[in-house]
Amino acid sequence: MRTALLGSLCCLLVACQSVTERHSDFVLDAPALASVRSIYIEDLGHDEGADLVEETDSVREKISTGLAESGRFSVVQDPQQADAVLTGLVGVEPWYHGMEGYYGMEGDLDDHELGVGKLRLVDSKTKRPIWTHKYETGLLKPNQSVAERVADQVVDKLMHDVRQAENGSTQNPRNSPAAVHPQP
Amino acid sequence: MVFEPTMRVMKYIPWSYGRTELVFRARGFIYAINPGFSQANFHVEAVHAFTPETLVHLRYFTVPDQLLGLSEERRSGTEQLQDERVTSHLGVIRLDHRLSEHWEVQLFGRAGIRRYNEPYQQRDTLLWTVGPHLIWHMTHHTRMVFGYHYERGLAEGRQQHEFEDDISYVHHFAAVSFETRLMEHLDLELDFHYERNNFTSGIPEDERNGGHENIYQGNGRLFYQLTDQMTLMMTVQRSNRRQNFLQTHDHNTNVSAGIIYRF
């Protein structure tokens, strides 16, 4: 019986290993992105799955600061004054590792953080998506929090793509899915 | 050497009056040298948050057919050494309430049964536990936990005097834990607990009559989050057990390393 139980446990672990994540559609409208100068950042904590996500305001603030410091974009407080609106969901999702220390007394500090970032840059007039971004998980830097990593990735990716767009090149950045230009 | 594969599946269910987290966990212990001691345990848990400050945990926990080792059986009269096995079923409830920014109280209770294999059926035990925990949240990433449990176990042997084997007990458990973040992504947990089992057998010929045991255990754990989905874990555990009725004094030191991956 114990062998069967242990075998079942191993099979379940292997099954979990085979689960793959679906990638959402990727959008990069290079000419439109190159023309964006001002951005309004919406509340980034209201998309699907937001109830599991924390530190949304902190990440939003870091994105705002990063874009403003880039010198390429101005971050405006009124969507009417913006060329484009950044919308979506960012933050960190705590995950509890469940390795309680002693019976019944496991704590809520036993958790770690998964970065969350699914953003769309939308033309403020036509409401068409110009650019999308999905956070890529990976190796954490020892002195960088997960929230900082999420924000830095958004700013770095947007700056990279806008430079490519301004250079007239829409070549896909490495490790990104193929670009899909939105239909009019 | 022991391998400990663990799987934890979790699902959040939002309600209009709070949020419920459903958890299934399976954990195996695969002994490389003594495979007969390999075992698995399972728990199903629901954690409902009425508000962010008030939660209730309900858990069913089971350990099927766990081998404890060779023991002297008392039922046949031959007193042969035979495998002693036990299956445990436990129901657990815990109420958590955040009193303030820095203080939290938890009330813990559990009840269940341990069923032994046929040669040891007089050891079948009903048990129940109650106890409070007090948590001091010193900072967002540092806290101390103080806990005490009182447990009563009532074995069948207390009514079957012919086997002279009543393992009924009163159990006291006290623990203190310190958890902190040493640096970004690196967490440290230290805990120490003391257990006292007073055996309550009233059978004059029973070796546990008037017996007790003391257990001390210290744990140290380090967790380092390497990626968004992977954490490295290292633990050191030292325990010490002394039983007055067997005049034994056991030490045990375990060191482990592991990887936790979130799918």
Side-chain angles (χ1 to χ4, degrees):
Chain A
M1 183 182 178
R2 279 176 296 115
T3 306
L5 291 171
L6 288 168
S8 304
L9 179 56
C10 292
C11 288
L12 283 167
L13 286 171
V14 171
C16 286
Q17 181 78 51
S18 67
V19 173
T20 55
E21 196 176 347
R22 288 169 53 194
H23 288 275
S24 55
D25 289 340
F26 174 74
V27 174
L28 175 57
D29 184 341
L33 181 60
S35 67
V36 172
R37 296 286 161 185
S38 56
I39 293 176
Y40 172 76
I41 305 176
E42 282 191 342
D43 183 343
L44 301 177
H46 284 299
D47 263 15
E48 184 185 352
D51 57 329
L52 303 179
V53 176
E54 299 176 357
E55 298 191 42
T56 293
D57 292 341
S58 159
V59 177
R60 180 184 181 276
E61 188 59 37
K62 289 180 172 67
I63 293 171
S64 176
T65 304
L67 292 178
E69 287 177 350
S70 74
R72 171 61 180 75
F73 296 106
S74 61
V75 178
V76 298
Q77 303 303 314
D78 181 358
Q80 303 295 329
Q81 297 175 345
D83 298 328
V85 174
L86 192 62
T87 184
L89 177 66
V90 292
V92 298
E93 183 183 323
W95 56 276
Y96 171 62
H97 58 62
M99 301 297 290
E100 63 264 32
Y102 37 102
Y103 67 94
M105 295 185 66
E106 64 271 27
D108 53 13
L109 281 190
D110 295 338
D111 57 29
H112 301 285
E113 292 169 341
L114 170 71
V116 175
K118 290 175 73 174
L119 291 175
R120 301 178 301 283
L121 189 66
V122 179
D123 187 298
S124 58
K125 293 184 178 62
T126 66
K127 308 300 180 193
R128 280 172 39 191
I130 296 169
W131 174 87
T132 56
H133 168 72
K134 186 172 187 304
Y135 174 74
E136 291 181 2
T137 59
L139 195 66
L140 303 175
K141 294 177 185 171
N143 55 354
Q144 183 186 43
S145 70
V146 178
E148 287 168 345
R149 179 182 157 85
V150 173
D152 291 350
Q153 208 176 88
V154 172
V155 174
D156 292 348
K157 179 76 167 26
L158 185 54
M159 291 306 299
H160 175 276
D161 289 350
V162 79
R163 283 192 202 104
Q164 294 265 336
E166 286 174 337
N167 292 335
S169 166
T170 57
Q171 198 171 12
N172 297 329
R174 200 167 48 167
N175 297 330
S176 292
V180 178
H181 293 271
Q183 297 299 313
Chain B
M1 181 181 289
V2 182
F3 297 95
E4 295 185 24
T6 303
M7 184 191 66
R8 187 171 187 271
V9 180
M10 186 183 69
K11 173 76 177 169
Y12 280 112
I13 303 173
W15 305 77
S16 55
Y17 47 87
R19 189 176 79 178
T20 300
E21 176 188 335
L22 295 177
V23 177
F24 169 77
R25 196 191 73 176
R27 186 174 188 182
F29 296 82
I30 302 171
Y31 283 68
I33 295 173
N34 294 303
F37 283 95
S38 297
Q39 53 160 300
N41 64 56
F42 306 88
H43 85 223
V44 180
E45 184 178 47
V47 183
H48 183 73
F50 295 100
T51 68
E53 291 78 31
T54 305
L55 287 80
V56 60
H57 302 245
L58 293 171
R59 178 188 296 179
Y60 166 72
F61 176 80
T62 183
V63 189
D65 201 30
Q66 178 183 8
L67 176 62
L68 301 179
L70 287 172
S71 293
E72 202 175 80
E73 65 87 20
R74 307 283 178 84
R75 298 180 79 87
S76 69
T78 59
E79 299 190 351
Q80 291 177 323
L81 288 176
Q82 292 197 22
D83 280 350
E84 181 181 1
R85 294 181 177 278
V86 63
T87 295
S88 302
H89 302 279
L90 293 166
V92 180
I93 183 169
R94 200 181 85 195
L95 299 168
D96 301 359
H97 184 66
R98 191 73 173 246
L99 300 169
S100 67
E101 182 187 350
H102 293 292
W103 294 98
E104 178 183 347
V105 66
Q106 299 175 349
L107 298 175
F108 175 86
R110 68 175 193 168
I113 188 167
R114 298 190 187 104
R115 288 197 180 281
Y116 290 76
N117 53 333
E118 195 276 332
Y120 302 96
Q121 279 182 347
Q122 73 279 3
R123 295 187 172 185
D124 286 358
T125 304
L126 285 169
L127 62 105
W128 56 267
T129 313
V130 292
H133 307 159
L134 184 66
I135 296 99
W136 177 23
H137 296 269
M138 301 161 76
T139 69
H140 183 59
H141 287 299
T142 302
R143 69 176 202 163
M144 289 195 76
V145 183
F146 306 90
Y148 168 76
H149 295 168
Y150 173 89
E151 182 170 302
R152 183 74 168 107
L154 295 171
E156 291 291 319
R158 75 188 191 283
Q159 295 165 334
Q160 300 171 2
H161 291 206
E162 65 273 25
F163 302 125
E164 300 170 359
D165 188 26
D166 178 9
I167 62 168
S168 300
Y169 61 87
V170 170
H171 169 85
H172 300 277
F173 169 94
V176 59
S177 166
F178 176 72
E179 305 168 3
T180 191
R181 178 154 289 181
L182 297 176
M183 53 181 280
E184 197 70 57
H185 312 308
L186 181 64
D187 295 335
L188 170 71
E189 294 180 11
L190 298 171
D191 64 67
F192 172 80
H193 77 244
Y194 166 68
E195 296 177 49
R196 166 87 178 195
N197 286 316
N198 293 324
F199 292 99
T200 57
S201 173
I203 304 169
E205 297 79 11
D206 189 343
E207 64 182 4
R208 287 184 176 77
N209 189 340
H212 65 260
E213 63 180 353
N214 292 310
I215 299 169
Y216 303 89
Q217 182 168 303
N219 297 292
R221 299 181 198 81
L222 278 173
F223 296 96
Y224 184 74
Q225 187 176 0
L226 194 63
T227 74
D228 288 81
Q229 292 161 291
M230 183 190 291
T231 292
L232 307 178
M233 175 181 68
M234 186 172 180
T235 69
V236 178
Q237 181 186 78
R238 169 79 174 177
S239 56
N240 183 328
R241 180 185 192 189
R242 188 189 291 268
Q243 297 171 311
N244 72 330
F245 54 98
L246 294 177
Q247 296 300 316
T248 59
H249 191 188
D250 303 319
H251 299 284
N252 190 8
T253 302
N254 298 313
V255 177
S256 68
I259 294 174
I260 305 164
Y261 192 85
R262 179 199 193 275
F263 292 95

